[in-house]
Amino acid sequence: MKGSRALLLVALTLLCVWGLGSGEDSEEFFMEFLQTLLVGTAEELYEGPLGKFSVNEEAKAALTALKSGIDGLQPSHKAELVKLLVQVLGSQDEA
């Protein structure tokens, strides 16, 4: 379990860095990626936000493990993450 938490932390950190450093398109990608990660399926990640990228098998395995870790969260924790995402998306709409 510690490994999947560490993987989640690393992935989210990298996505934050990419999202903050690369402009509006990256912010949109980041938010769509997070939304799909929280409430979608691994397949939806590859078809949606990652659809225009070539994702190798090792990266797919890592994403599957990450998604599995998120899916394994307590429902209340996952609900709070979804609320946070909605809040962030709402603040972007206002800006």
Side-chain angles (χ1 to χ4, degrees):
M1 188 63 148
K2 288 183 181 180
S4 53
R5 286 183 185 168
L7 181 60
L8 174 62
L9 180 61
V10 168
L12 291 177
T13 301
L14 289 173
L15 287 171
C16 286
V17 169
W18 290 334
L20 294 174
S22 303
E24 191 171 316
D25 289 340
S26 292
E27 289 176 22
E28 290 176 24
F29 168 82
F30 173 68
M31 295 311 292
E32 182 182 357
F33 181 86
L34 265 182
Q35 181 178 3
T36 307
L37 195 59
L38 286 171
V39 298
T41 65
E43 292 76 26
E44 289 171 332
L45 280 172
Y46 308 129
E47 295 168 2
L50 297 174
K52 61 184 174 182
F53 301 101
S54 176
V55 181
N56 67 40
E57 291 305 314
E58 289 182 32
K60 283 184 180 183
L63 284 167
T64 299
L66 178 61
K67 179 68 178 131
S68 176
I70 289 172
D71 290 345
L73 292 173
Q74 292 181 10
S76 61
H77 292 163
K78 194 170 177 181
E80 289 302 317
L81 289 174
V82 170
K83 284 183 194 176
L84 179 61
L85 181 60
V86 168
Q87 181 182 4
V88 170
L89 288 172
S91 69
Q92 283 185 340
D93 291 342
E94 295 171 4

